Amino acid sequence: MKIEHIEIENFRNIEKMSLDFGEINIIYGENANGKTNLLEAIYLFTGSKSFRGTKDSDLIMFNKEYAKLKIDFFGGKRKQNAEITINEKRNAVLNGIKKDSAAALSEEIKAVIFSPIHLSMIKDGPEQRRKFTDRALCQIKNNYKTVLNEYRRCLVQRNVLLRDMQKNPELRDMLLIWNKNFAKAAAKIIYQRCRYVKELEPLAEKIFSGLSGGKEVLTLKMKGAFDYENIEPDEIYKNMMAALEKNTDEDILNGTTSVGPHRDDMEILINGKSARIFGSQGQQRSCVIALKLAESGLLREMTGVEPVVLLDDVMSELDEKRQDYIFNNIKSGQIFITCCDKNTVLKLKEGKTFRIENGMAAGD
């Protein structure tokens, strides 16, 4: 797919912007002028929330009542258009038809983004790594977000019941019902995450090996309350029911569910050691780049759609050899790259350039 044109109004520090894009787009300028805001506007058309973890209301320019984004794009073998309006919530229109939610845009528009903020996927706790797999699966599996929401609903209800049981032990009989609902939803989440990570690993390992000059090996594995290796949904369900039963007394005491997908982690290892604990800054950055480029490749393989690749300030800390390797592994498709100085992107002989200053852009 390809985004051909974008119009932005009252978004972050961008009051008005209208741009036509090419296959390769270099967006440059000083920091805090709006480069990342432009990539963020593009990414919202995937139906996901901001990759910066921002509330929708914070996306609207100060003293404005709304923000509006429009794109013309080529996808599904035809020209299409989409619009997002942000006020109290995000509203989306695709080809003139209002959608029930902005998330519905994910069926037509695919993108993968790398930003320095994603280094938290290595540096921070398991939540960021779970978000990585869940966001990727939402673009690949149309029903995954529905299953994820069902799981979260079951988790909330089970936790409420656990707290009620602290004062009313007779409610224990109801726990079996919620355990079954919880385990059923959990099994679907765990199975999909494990399948995704298993298919992602060889792609990420190949890219990471290239970045490290073949000196290091990257491995990935989902970890949880029991061994997830080569396990089917029915078996996951049975094991989850057993884990819930085993932890019942502890869960009642704490008023919270101690096992399940909300506690799982994607283990990231370099030469068999934790990248979070033992990895250097350069190794951790290379891990995230490898995972993001692998995500792009797997998205292409599993959906048949060439995702837009958004690289926010990824090249400035890489030497020429690593830059060249990254470009060689973005096989095709549309690319957006931000940098402070357009000369930073050493290996691009072609492409459109846009200078961003105070929320305004001008093509070179």
Side-chain angles (χ1 to χ4, degrees):
M1 64 164 294
K2 178 183 177 182
I3 297 174
E4 298 174 334
H5 178 78
I6 192 168
E7 294 180 17
I8 302 174
E9 181 180 355
N10 300 336
F11 182 80
R12 296 282 197 179
N13 73 327
I14 303 174
E15 186 170 12
K16 291 280 187 181
M17 186 179 287
S18 178
L19 298 174
D20 295 316
F21 298 126
E23 289 291 330
I24 299 173
N25 304 276
I26 304 168
I27 302 156
Y28 72 99
E30 297 297 323
N31 290 330
N33 273 265
K35 302 188 303 293
T36 301
N37 296 343
L38 175 54
L39 296 196
E40 184 179 31
I42 294 171
Y43 185 74
L44 288 179
F45 282 97
T46 66
S48 298
K49 293 183 178 181
S50 167
F51 61 87
R52 296 154 107 176
T54 307
K55 296 186 296 184
D56 286 349
S57 58
D58 293 335
L59 300 174
I60 303 171
M61 177 178 269
F62 185 67
N63 280 338
K64 300 294 184 179
E65 295 182 357
Y66 68 91
K68 185 172 287 188
L69 311 171
K70 297 180 180 179
I71 61 168
D72 297 321
F73 68 99
F74 188 86
K77 299 182 179 180
R78 69 189 193 279
K79 287 183 176 291
Q80 303 189 63
N81 59 79
E83 179 179 322
I84 295 174
T85 302
I86 307 170
N87 36 51
E88 293 181 357
K89 63 176 185 177
R90 281 181 294 160
N91 297 291
V93 175
L94 179 64
N95 300 323
I97 301 173
K98 186 175 181 180
K99 312 302 287 187
D100 291 337
S101 71
L105 296 176
S106 65
E107 297 178 16
E108 295 291 340
I109 302 168
K110 313 289 186 184
V112 171
I113 184 160
F114 170 87
S115 169
I117 199 171
H118 290 122
L119 292 173
S120 64
M121 182 165 58
I122 305 293
K123 297 175 180 294
D124 294 349
E127 181 181 3
Q128 297 303 320
R129 293 182 284 279
R130 291 193 298 267
K131 283 182 178 179
F132 167 74
T133 58
D134 288 341
R135 286 173 175 168
L137 282 164
C138 282
Q139 291 203 77
I140 292 171
K141 305 285 184 180
N142 291 335
N143 68 333
Y144 185 78
K145 191 167 187 177
T146 300
V147 175
L148 198 59
N149 288 336
E150 172 62 17
Y151 171 76
R152 289 168 178 164
R153 186 182 72 85
C154 289
L155 176 60
V156 169
Q157 292 293 334
R158 187 177 191 273
N159 287 343
V160 169
L161 180 59
L162 289 170
R163 290 190 288 271
D164 288 344
M165 288 172 63
Q166 293 173 348
K167 296 181 179 180
N168 301 290
E170 66 274 11
L171 295 174
R172 191 170 184 128
D173 289 343
M174 293 181 60
L175 191 59
L176 178 60
I177 298 173
W178 278 109
N179 281 358
K180 289 179 178 179
N181 292 337
F182 178 94
K184 183 178 179 180
K188 294 177 182 178
I189 299 296
I190 293 168
Y191 181 68
Q192 293 294 343
R193 282 179 180 172
C194 289
R195 282 190 62 190
Y196 180 78
V197 170
K198 189 172 183 178
E199 294 186 28
L200 184 75
E201 184 184 42
L203 299 178
E205 195 282 324
K206 181 179 178 181
I207 295 168
F208 186 81
S209 177
L211 288 170
S212 67
K215 298 176 181 178
E216 297 167 337
V217 177
L218 177 70
T219 53
L220 309 173
K221 184 179 181 181
M222 287 301 304
K223 294 184 66 178
F226 45 89
D227 187 4
Y228 291 163
E229 191 70 21
N230 299 319
I231 199 166
E232 294 296 320
D234 289 347
E235 192 175 355
I236 296 173
Y237 172 81
K238 292 177 182 177
N239 288 344
M240 183 57 65
M241 287 292 290
L244 291 170
E245 179 62 30
K246 179 182 178 181
N247 290 275
T248 295
D249 291 339
E250 178 185 346
D251 287 359
I252 294 172
L253 180 64
N254 296 321
T256 189
T257 303
S258 57
V259 296
H262 64 293
R263 295 292 182 92
D264 291 352
D265 193 7
M266 181 178 71
E267 192 174 46
I268 304 173
L269 304 174
I270 301 174
N271 292 340
K273 295 182 179 180
S274 168
R276 183 177 68 84
I277 298 173
F278 299 103
S280 67
Q281 292 274 30
Q283 288 174 321
Q284 291 179 348
R285 190 178 187 88
S286 294
C287 277
V288 178
I289 292 171
L291 288 169
K292 284 294 181 175
L293 292 181
E295 178 190 356
S296 173
L298 194 54
L299 181 58
R300 178 174 59 248
E301 288 181 14
M302 298 184 75
T303 67
V305 176
E306 190 72 57
V308 174
V309 176
L310 308 169
L311 302 177
D312 186 25
D313 194 29
V314 66
M315 299 299 173
S316 58
E317 296 184 16
L318 299 177
D319 58 33
E320 186 174 347
K321 183 178 179 180
R322 284 178 170 81
Q323 288 184 21
D324 191 36
Y325 183 84
I326 288 173
F327 288 128
N328 287 337
N329 279 275
I330 301 175
K331 300 297 184 182
S332 58
Q334 191 176 30
I335 308 168
F336 292 81
I337 303 168
T338 70
C339 55
C340 290
D341 181 355
K342 64 180 178 180
N343 294 322
T344 300
V345 187
L346 301 174
K347 291 298 180 180
L348 287 178
K349 306 301 183 184
E350 300 178 353
K352 298 190 71 171
T353 58
F354 304 90
R355 177 173 52 84
I356 304 291
E357 185 176 353
N358 296 323
M360 302 178 67
D364 283 0

